[in-house]
Amino acid sequence: MGRPVVSLLTDFGLKDSYVAEMKAVILSLCPRASLVDITHEVEPFNLRAAAYLLSRAAPWFPRGTVHLAIVDPGVGGGRKPLIVEAEGAVFVGPDNGILLPAARKLGLKRVYEIRSEKLPKRFTEVFHGRDIFAPTAARLACGVKPSSLGVETSEFVEEVIPQAKILEGKIRGEIVYADRFGNLVTNIGRKLLEAFNVKPGSLLKVSFKERKALTVRFLQAYSQAEVGELLTLIGSWGTLEVSANQAKASEKLKVGVGEELWVEKA
Amino acid sequence: MGRPVVSLLTDFGLKDSYVAEMKAVILSLCPRASLVDITHEVEPFNLRAAAYLLSRAAPWFPRGTVHLAIVDPGVGGGRKPLIVEAEGAVFVGPDNGILLPAARKLGLKRVYEIRSEKLPKRFTEVFHGRDIFAPTAARLACGVKPSSLGVETSEFVEEVIPQAKILEGKIRGEIVYADRFGNLVTNIGRKLLEAFNVKPGSLLKVSFKERKALTVRFLQAYSQAEVGELLTLIGSWGTLEVSANQAKASEKLKVGVGEELWVEKA
Amino acid sequence: MGRPVVSLLTDFGLKDSYVAEMKAVILSLCPRASLVDITHEVEPFNLRAAAYLLSRAAPWFPRGTVHLAIVDPGVGGGRKPLIVEAEGAVFVGPDNGILLPAARKLGLKRVYEIRSEKLPKRFTEVFHGRDIFAPTAARLACGVKPSSLGVETSEFVEEVIPQAKILEGKIRGEIVYADRFGNLVTNIGRKLLEAFNVKPGSLLKVSFKERKALTVRFLQAYSQAEVGELLTLIGSWGTLEVSANQAKASEKLKVGVGEELWVEKA
């Protein structure tokens, strides 16, 4: 009845025509598809950022969405092309871990290796996004079953986002993403904080490696802090963020993705 | 009959997944919506630029378009969430002045405060764009009346773009926007210039604060000037622009948004 | 039956509202159009990059696509506004050479000068993209024939992309584009390489002006080289690229668009 949604997430940028070529292929094979960009500005080859952004965005899409995600340093090498079937969505992309966190969040069902010999055109070894993944996504969007396009497999690269945990009475986590506003998104979920009885208004002690610990307020909205004040809150991904009101925490703290942090109640 | 258009204007950038999450919410609630980005590259928290860009773009959209505009430094604080009903269009966004200039240009009808308790899901205090404004825009696009989603109000923040005027025999205006090409867009409309009998070919004296006055030609097209020459013309927003042919006036003059200028016939 | 596709390629960037104003005009005149951005990040006034990107992307679009391409340093001057009819597609834009390489790739049929006096609204001399080209594209998308909107012409600016050739026993080519990944795309097609019996695994000697010659492998995929290694391959446009695996050849070699190169078998 409705138009099938195909989302696109890549590290291709918007300066070149690569994304447009993929969209053109999709609309050629499935003209009624409705295309939505998640982002094309993933830092080149940054698998962790791709996995994070896809797992953030996917749960908000309509049931039946096909998510095409391509950050693919191994294109033309041995890595498998995958279809990952999840509850209410299908993911298409390379087998390097970027699809699994999103699929697990929705409920992982089955993983298929794409049989690229069944694709219509001769394909290049330089642009599988256009030549293998886009036609696969288009067919899935127009109703072809994953099992017609691939062979089920149980071997695939697992998640690339690390888990936070409690160690020596503190939460040890990691910065998994820094957004445009300089918010530092961690992998520390709401439950870990509840285990420490952290509540709005609590003071948290946050330590980064080889650096003085900070004591900052745990709040519910950026604007509850003074302009420029560092704060923590549960961000829109559902995890702890280290932020500053109308300022960039990433610049204030000179902290970036991959950096470890330790959190405890002050 | 046709598909309802929803435009989006934010300062969220395209690197993160925030815009995609809003689009996903809109398509989940109103699958036949047609989404058009105005821009997501508003300088973070720059209300004046947001108001300018929305008022430029809105008049060109089809009747019935829903414009979703979110530059929202006060998210999670006390500012109201608004629906602004205008002639042939509806605007959705925070109550900080960014919606009014566009609505007044089309013909302001009524302003409503969104009753967010009527929204379907629990919402966060960190991302009202996705959790309050996007669902509201989706419902409006699919035919729900503003009066079902909000309560009429007469208290709202007024325009953030200043007016040009005549003072001491000169036009005093302000740079309200600098575009990608370095064109300096002012708030000086065609009528003020006509009052000074400015015509194509006239010479204008343009003065910025604490700086030598320029004498530049008033032309009808950028390409009527020599390559690199400074010129003035009525730009595509209908106001005076200080420009340079195939060069950046903003860089040549080292002038930016908010700077005052005085214009008279040379 | 399906929705007509209109592609857009400009140097307008995404920070301003110019692209959105064109889309709004298109959807006002042809509400069922499906809009696909090729790119809006062409370097301002770079005709060669525009021609390259359009000729790359156009062949992948569905039959019947209308391509709107605007890089237009001569707006408001004497240059003609064109409709270029090709096999399976129509191109709309200024007469400065950006449309022809794509049209010739698909099969050039006829070229028309747009009769802008037949357009509905008064138009400005500063923004023909919105005022002349977008309404023309919209009408073509909704089924109006090119001959109703323009007058056939045999005078138009020809291609802006130079041809590679064999000189003194070497291939002399040029860098026509550098993409986000630092791949240096040349104008040296597959056939010229076959004439030199270049095969996967061959070593090529590549010389840039006033610089030591490089000896690099000719491969089939970026990932066949070591990480950081310079290589050559046939890229996704079908021409020779000088690249580096997961690194930027443009930065390693400090070479950019327009630079001449000489290629021979090592």
Side-chain angles (χ1 to χ4, degrees):
Chain A
M1 187 211 71
R3 297 165 62 217
V5 175
V6 177
S7 88
L8 297 98
L9 179 151
T10 75
D11 62 351
F12 295 167
L14 293 174
K15 157 178 137 54
D16 306 317
S17 59
Y18 302 131
V19 171
E21 293 170 39
M22 292 200 301
K23 291 180 176 177
V25 166
I26 295 168
L27 291 176
S28 295
L29 294 172
C30 183
R32 62 199 168 84
S34 176
L35 305 172
V36 178
D37 295 312
I38 294 182
T39 181
H40 301 289
E41 301 292 353
V42 175
E43 190 197 343
F45 314 129
N46 187 334
L47 303 178
R48 187 173 293 182
Y52 163 74
L53 289 166
L54 189 61
S55 83
R56 267 198 69 108
W60 300 97
F61 276 83
R63 271 193 78 80
T65 294
V66 177
H67 298 283
L68 179 55
I70 307 172
V71 175
D72 192 14
V75 61
R79 69 96 192 87
K80 295 176 191 167
L82 294 187
I83 299 168
V84 177
E85 204 180 4
E87 184 57 37
V90 186
F91 299 85
V92 177
D95 178 26
N96 57 22
I98 63 176
L99 309 177
L100 268 291
R104 290 207 182 279
K105 205 165 182 179
L106 299 180
L108 179 63
K109 290 168 82 176
R110 265 171 297 275
V111 181
Y112 300 86
E113 179 175 354
I114 297 170
R115 290 185 291 172
S116 50
E117 77 281 3
K118 297 198 92 189
L119 291 168
K121 295 210 187 188
R122 272 189 56 230
F123 55 86
T124 70
E125 293 298 356
V126 287
F127 194 3
H128 287 185
R130 178 188 70 196
D131 299 338
I132 292 179
F133 296 120
T136 300
R139 273 140 192 239
L140 292 168
C142 260
V144 177
K145 295 271 160 273
S147 55
S148 314
L149 299 170
V151 180
E152 204 172 335
T153 179
S154 58
E155 285 177 28
F156 46 85
V157 176
E158 263 297 343
E159 328 214 351
V160 297
I161 300 179
Q163 297 286 319
K165 51 184 111 173
I166 295 174
L167 270 178
E168 300 164 22
K170 299 174 189 173
I171 306 170
R172 192 186 73 180
E174 191 175 314
I175 304 299
V176 296
Y177 195 72
D179 75 9
R180 153 177 240 215
F181 298 98
N183 297 312
L184 297 163
V185 181
T186 75
N187 59 350
I188 299 172
R190 203 185 290 269
K191 276 187 192 150
L192 280 182
L193 292 168
E194 283 167 1
F196 278 71
N197 198 27
V198 172
K199 284 177 189 162
S202 296
L203 284 177
L204 294 185
K205 191 173 151 196
V206 177
S207 322
F208 294 96
K209 226 174 160 178
E210 290 173 19
R211 204 174 305 217
K212 251 182 80 185
L214 306 162
T215 302
V216 290
R217 292 197 283 163
F218 178 74
L219 300 171
Q220 287 179 295
Y222 303 114
S223 61
Q224 290 173 349
E226 303 298 315
V227 170
E229 182 189 345
L230 286 165
L231 69 140
T232 53
L233 48 58
I234 296 293
S236 51
W237 193 44
T239 62
L240 191 75
E241 277 180 34
V242 181
S243 303
N245 185 17
Q246 296 179 50
K248 297 195 170 189
S250 58
E251 290 181 3
K252 278 182 182 277
L253 296 173
K254 305 213 182 330
V255 164
V257 172
E259 194 143 350
E260 202 176 282
L261 81 169
W262 298 79
V263 176
E264 61 194 306
K265 233 175 146 178
Chain B
M1 191 211 69
R3 297 165 60 217
V5 175
V6 178
S7 89
L8 297 99
L9 180 151
T10 75
D11 62 351
F12 295 168
L14 293 174
K15 158 178 136 54
D16 305 318
S17 60
Y18 302 132
V19 170
E21 293 170 39
M22 293 200 300
K23 291 181 176 177
V25 166
I26 295 169
L27 291 177
S28 295
L29 294 172
C30 182
R32 64 199 166 86
S34 177
L35 305 173
V36 177
D37 296 311
I38 293 182
T39 182
H40 300 290
E41 300 294 353
V42 175
E43 190 197 342
F45 314 129
N46 186 335
L47 303 179
R48 188 172 293 182
Y52 163 74
L53 290 166
L54 189 61
S55 82
R56 266 198 70 108
W60 300 98
F61 276 82
R63 271 193 79 80
T65 294
V66 178
H67 297 283
L68 179 55
I70 307 171
V71 176
D72 194 13
V75 61
R79 69 97 191 88
K80 295 177 190 166
L82 294 186
I83 299 168
V84 177
E85 203 180 4
E87 184 54 36
V90 186
F91 298 85
V92 177
D95 178 26
N96 57 22
I98 63 175
L99 309 177
L100 268 290
R104 290 208 181 277
K105 205 164 182 181
L106 299 180
L108 179 62
K109 291 168 83 176
R110 266 171 296 277
V111 180
Y112 300 86
E113 179 175 354
I114 297 170
R115 291 185 289 170
S116 50
E117 77 281 3
K118 297 197 92 190
L119 292 167
K121 294 213 188 187
R122 273 189 56 230
F123 56 85
T124 70
E125 292 299 355
V126 286
F127 194 2
H128 286 185
R130 180 188 69 196
D131 299 338
I132 293 179
F133 296 120
T136 300
R139 272 137 192 240
L140 292 168
C142 261
V144 177
K145 296 270 159 273
S147 55
S148 316
L149 298 171
V151 179
E152 206 172 333
T153 178
S154 58
E155 284 177 28
F156 47 85
V157 176
E158 262 297 342
E159 327 214 354
V160 297
I161 300 180
Q163 296 286 317
K165 52 183 112 171
I166 295 175
L167 270 177
E168 301 163 23
K170 299 174 190 173
I171 307 170
R172 193 186 73 179
E174 192 174 313
I175 305 299
V176 296
Y177 194 72
D179 75 8
R180 152 178 239 214
F181 298 98
N183 297 311
L184 297 163
V185 181
T186 75
N187 59 350
I188 300 172
R190 203 185 291 268
K191 276 187 192 150
L192 280 182
L193 292 168
E194 283 167 1
F196 279 72
N197 198 28
V198 172
K199 285 177 187 162
S202 296
L203 284 177
L204 294 185
K205 191 174 151 194
V206 176
S207 321
F208 294 96
K209 226 173 159 179
E210 290 172 20
R211 204 174 304 218
K212 251 184 80 186
L214 307 164
T215 301
V216 289
R217 293 197 283 163
F218 177 73
L219 300 170
Q220 287 180 293
Y222 303 114
S223 61
Q224 290 172 349
E226 304 298 315
V227 170
E229 183 190 345
L230 285 165
L231 70 140
T232 53
L233 47 59
I234 297 292
S236 51
W237 193 44
T239 63
L240 191 75
E241 277 181 32
V242 182
S243 303
N245 185 17
Q246 295 178 50
K248 297 195 170 188
S250 59
E251 289 181 3
K252 278 182 181 280
L253 296 173
K254 306 213 180 332
V255 164
V257 172
E259 194 144 349
E260 202 176 282
L261 81 170
W262 298 79
V263 175
E264 63 193 305
K265 234 175 146 178
Chain C
M1 191 212 70
R3 297 165 61 216
V5 175
V6 178
S7 89
L8 298 98
L9 179 152
T10 75
D11 62 350
F12 295 167
L14 293 174
K15 156 178 138 57
D16 306 317
S17 59
Y18 302 132
V19 171
E21 293 169 41
M22 293 200 300
K23 291 181 176 176
V25 166
I26 295 168
L27 292 176
S28 295
L29 294 172
C30 183
R32 63 200 167 85
S34 176
L35 305 172
V36 177
D37 296 311
I38 293 181
T39 181
H40 300 290
E41 300 293 354
V42 175
E43 189 197 343
F45 314 129
N46 187 335
L47 303 178
R48 188 170 292 180
Y52 163 74
L53 290 166
L54 189 61
S55 82
R56 267 198 70 110
W60 300 98
F61 276 83
R63 270 193 80 80
T65 294
V66 177
H67 297 283
L68 179 54
I70 306 172
V71 175
D72 193 13
V75 62
R79 70 96 191 87
K80 296 177 190 166
L82 295 186
I83 299 169
V84 177
E85 203 179 4
E87 184 55 36
V90 187
F91 298 85
V92 177
D95 178 26
N96 57 22
I98 63 176
L99 309 178
L100 267 292
R104 289 206 182 279
K105 204 165 183 181
L106 298 179
L108 179 63
K109 290 168 83 176
R110 266 172 297 275
V111 180
Y112 300 85
E113 178 174 354
I114 297 170
R115 290 186 290 170
S116 50
E117 77 282 2
K118 298 198 91 190
L119 291 168
K121 296 214 187 185
R122 272 188 58 229
F123 55 86
T124 70
E125 293 298 355
V126 287
F127 194 3
H128 287 185
R130 179 189 69 197
D131 299 339
I132 292 179
F133 296 120
T136 300
R139 272 138 192 241
L140 293 167
C142 261
V144 177
K145 295 271 159 272
S147 55
S148 315
L149 298 172
V151 179
E152 203 172 333
T153 180
S154 58
E155 285 178 28
F156 47 85
V157 176
E158 262 297 343
E159 328 212 353
V160 297
I161 300 180
Q163 297 286 318
K165 53 182 112 175
I166 295 175
L167 270 176
E168 301 164 22
K170 299 175 190 171
I171 306 170
R172 192 186 74 180
E174 192 175 314
I175 304 299
V176 296
Y177 194 72
D179 76 8
R180 154 179 239 215
F181 298 98
N183 297 312
L184 296 163
V185 180
T186 77
N187 58 350
I188 300 172
R190 202 185 292 269
K191 277 188 191 147
L192 280 181
L193 292 168
E194 283 167 0
F196 279 71
N197 199 27
V198 173
K199 284 178 189 163
S202 296
L203 284 177
L204 294 184
K205 191 175 151 193
V206 177
S207 321
F208 294 97
K209 226 173 158 180
E210 291 172 19
R211 205 173 303 218
K212 251 182 81 187
L214 308 163
T215 302
V216 289
R217 291 198 283 163
F218 177 75
L219 300 171
Q220 287 180 294
Y222 304 114
S223 61
Q224 289 172 350
E226 303 298 314
V227 170
E229 182 190 346
L230 285 165
L231 69 140
T232 54
L233 46 60
I234 297 292
S236 51
W237 193 44
T239 63
L240 191 75
E241 276 181 32
V242 182
S243 304
N245 185 18
Q246 295 179 51
K248 297 194 170 190
S250 59
E251 290 181 2
K252 278 181 180 278
L253 297 172
K254 305 212 181 331
V255 164
V257 172
E259 195 144 348
E260 202 176 283
L261 81 169
W262 298 79
V263 175
E264 62 194 303
K265 233 175 144 175

